[in-house]
Amino acid sequence: QLRCALEGPAQAIFARSGISFKAEGLHDALRGARTLLSGTSGTSELEHDARILARSLGIRSIAAIDHWVNYRERFVRGGTLVLPDEAWVGDEVAVAEAARALPGLPVFQKTNHYLERMLAEIRESPARPHATRRVLYVLEPVRSAWGLAGTPGEFRALDFFMTRLPSLVGGSPYEVRMRPHPSDPPGKYDRWERSDGAGTITVDASSSLPDAIAWADWVGGCETFAMVVALKAGKRVITSLPPDAPACRLPFPDVQRLGTI
């Protein structure tokens, strides 16, 4: 039996997943449950509240971490740390990071079926030869301005990427597709769209992530999960974190830093 408490983008994702489930409020979903399986979003209060409630009810709590950064911060809200009984991660790199950031917490490596399915779909849709440089830019809320108040980090990184784009494509015509994060509101990146003699830059929310990665020659972004998918699919991946930002925390040495290219 699967009962789900869902908010935000998760509602649409679960609706099209093919999984049979019953959507309920948090308290109803946990009433009589034996186990809680929660996500670990950096912003969701629902998942944090679920772990608090599960602890108070004596329900076993498992948290799935589908990323490689901010492990401890994912379990803190308002200065309060609430850990699950165990964590699930998807690879050896994540196992090591969880052991470092969350000492004493049991950590288990599980197959990341979501990642495997996306890689299979990318392989089924290989990019075709073309003269235009195709660039996919995957976006995410950064929640830090790196010392420049009033300018979100994702905007600063995108501006930095745009200034370096001509040298990156080497004078070739280009097409850039900016792919918003599921939590981004509509229109957030519209002001970066343009079309001129050199190339086009558009917001793309229509294609699937595997299709978007298969289409691209290379992929840029800050340090989002989609960059790791692209890297594992054999694409060139570049982090656009500006020079005064901290180093990209994705623990994959093949991710290039834009400021050094």
Side-chain angles (χ1 to χ4, degrees):
Q1 291 182 329
L2 179 63
R3 291 179 292 189
C4 298
L6 306 170
E7 289 180 353
Q11 293 174 315
I13 292 170
F14 270 70
R16 62 175 182 263
S17 68
I19 301 172
S20 177
F21 67 91
K22 183 178 181 181
E24 302 189 35
L26 180 55
H27 287 77
D28 289 335
L30 280 176
R31 185 179 294 116
R34 296 180 59 186
T35 303
L36 165 69
L37 177 59
S38 63
T40 49
S41 166
T43 57
S44 170
E45 297 293 335
L46 179 67
E47 296 162 336
H48 184 75
D49 292 344
R51 288 187 282 270
I52 293 175
L53 183 56
R55 176 178 292 181
S56 71
L57 296 173
I59 297 172
R60 176 180 177 234
S61 176
I62 303 170
I65 308 175
D66 65 348
H67 212 295
W68 296 266
V69 303
N70 288 343
Y71 277 24
R72 192 168 188 84
E73 293 84 346
R74 292 173 185 274
F75 299 103
V76 177
R77 296 293 185 278
T80 301
L81 173 70
V82 180
L83 292 174
D85 296 309
E86 65 184 68
W88 291 356
V89 298
D91 60 23
E92 296 87 350
V93 175
V95 170
E97 176 58 19
R100 184 199 67 80
L102 305 167
L105 180 69
V107 178
F108 299 91
Q109 183 177 335
K110 302 289 184 178
T111 300
N112 191 330
H113 295 285
Y114 174 68
L115 176 58
E116 288 192 348
R117 185 175 71 249
M118 285 196 290
L119 292 175
E121 292 178 15
I122 293 170
R123 288 191 292 268
E124 292 171 0
S125 303
R128 301 290 188 268
H130 51 84
T132 302
R133 294 290 179 91
R134 296 177 173 178
V135 182
L136 174 66
Y137 190 94
V138 284
L139 295 148
E140 63 180 313
V142 173
R143 305 179 185 93
S144 175
W146 309 300
L148 187 62
T151 305
E154 59 266 37
F155 292 172
R156 290 198 60 206
L158 188 52
D159 285 338
F160 180 53
F161 165 79
M162 294 299 181
T163 64
R164 298 300 299 268
L165 180 61
S167 62
L168 282 171
V169 299
S172 299
Y174 61 83
E175 181 179 355
V176 177
R177 294 181 182 178
M178 300 181 293
R179 184 175 180 83
H181 190 271
S183 63
D184 284 325
K188 181 176 177 178
Y189 301 102
D190 287 355
R191 65 186 175 93
W192 278 273
E193 290 190 300
R194 69 170 187 259
S195 180
D196 54 34
T200 62
I201 301 172
T202 58
V203 174
D204 175 26
S206 58
S207 61
S208 69
L209 179 58
D211 287 344
I213 292 175
W215 167 86
D217 295 320
W218 54 273
V219 176
C222 290
E223 48 188 16
T224 183
F225 177 84
M227 294 165 63
V228 179
V229 179
L231 193 67
K232 290 182 178 291
K235 299 290 183 176
R236 182 189 186 193
V237 175
I238 300 172
T239 176
S240 59
L241 292 171
D244 58 340
C248 178
R249 293 169 294 174
L250 292 176
F252 299 93
D254 289 337
V255 175
Q256 300 176 279
R257 183 147 188 173
L258 182 57
T260 63
I261 299 173

